[in-house]
């Protein structure tokens, strides 16, 4: 009986993790807001609000592992290096810094 309960619990946990795995559009919105928050220049904020999403979408690579995803965005062209984040439970956790690497 304990083994059956453990299997049911495991199935429920996997289902919850897979259903809360955030998508690419959510990540693009999140990274756009994060970079706008880090920007101190009004011109940069304006450019990011107008053209940020397509730029981030083009520079982002997603690795989907069913229960979580890893996103890597390349900011090398603007001197910020690469940003790597994990998406789980509809949240994003930066694995590398937004600062210059």
């Amino acid at each position: 009986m304990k083994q059956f309960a453990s299997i049911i619990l495991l199935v429920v946990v996997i289902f919850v993790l897979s259903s809360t795995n955030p998508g690419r559009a959510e990540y693009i919105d999140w990274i756009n807001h994060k970079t706008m928050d880090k920007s101190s220049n009004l011109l940069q904020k304006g450019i990011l609000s107008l053209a940020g999403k397509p730029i981030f979408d083009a520079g982002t690579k997603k690795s989907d592992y069913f229960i979580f995803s890893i996103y890597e965005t390349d900011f090398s062209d603007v001197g910020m290096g690469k940003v790597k984040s994990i998406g789980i439970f509809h949240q994003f956790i930066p694995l590398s810094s937004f600062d210059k690497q």
Side-chain angles (χ1 to χ4, degrees):
M1 186 65 179
K2 283 185 179 185
Q3 186 178 11
F4 182 71
S6 297
I7 291 172
I8 295 296
L9 181 63
L10 180 64
V11 168
V12 168
V13 168
I14 290 173
F15 175 76
V16 168
L17 284 170
S18 67
S19 65
T20 60
N21 185 1
R24 186 179 182 94
E26 290 174 279
Y27 174 75
I28 299 301
D29 286 340
W30 175 79
I31 195 84
N32 192 35
H33 287 290
K34 278 290 197 187
T35 53
M36 282 177 58
D37 290 345
K38 291 236 178 235
S39 175
S40 59
N41 187 342
L42 189 59
L43 180 62
Q44 284 179 342
K45 286 185 181 187
I47 291 171
L48 286 172
S49 69
L50 293 175
K53 289 182 183 181
I55 292 169
F56 295 134
D57 193 29
T60 298
K61 185 179 92 173
K62 176 184 178 184
S63 301
D64 191 357
Y65 297 102
F66 188 66
I67 58 174
F68 67 93
S69 296
I70 296 179
Y71 295 89
E72 189 170 348
T73 304
D74 190 359
F75 289 115
S76 298
D77 295 339
V78 294
M80 290 178 64
K82 292 184 179 181
V83 175
K84 193 180 239 185
S85 303
I86 186 169
I88 191 165
F89 291 119
H90 290 299
Q91 300 293 318
F92 297 99
I93 303 164
L95 300 175
S96 63
S97 176
F98 280 90
D99 298 330
K100 203 174 192 177
Q101 296 179 347

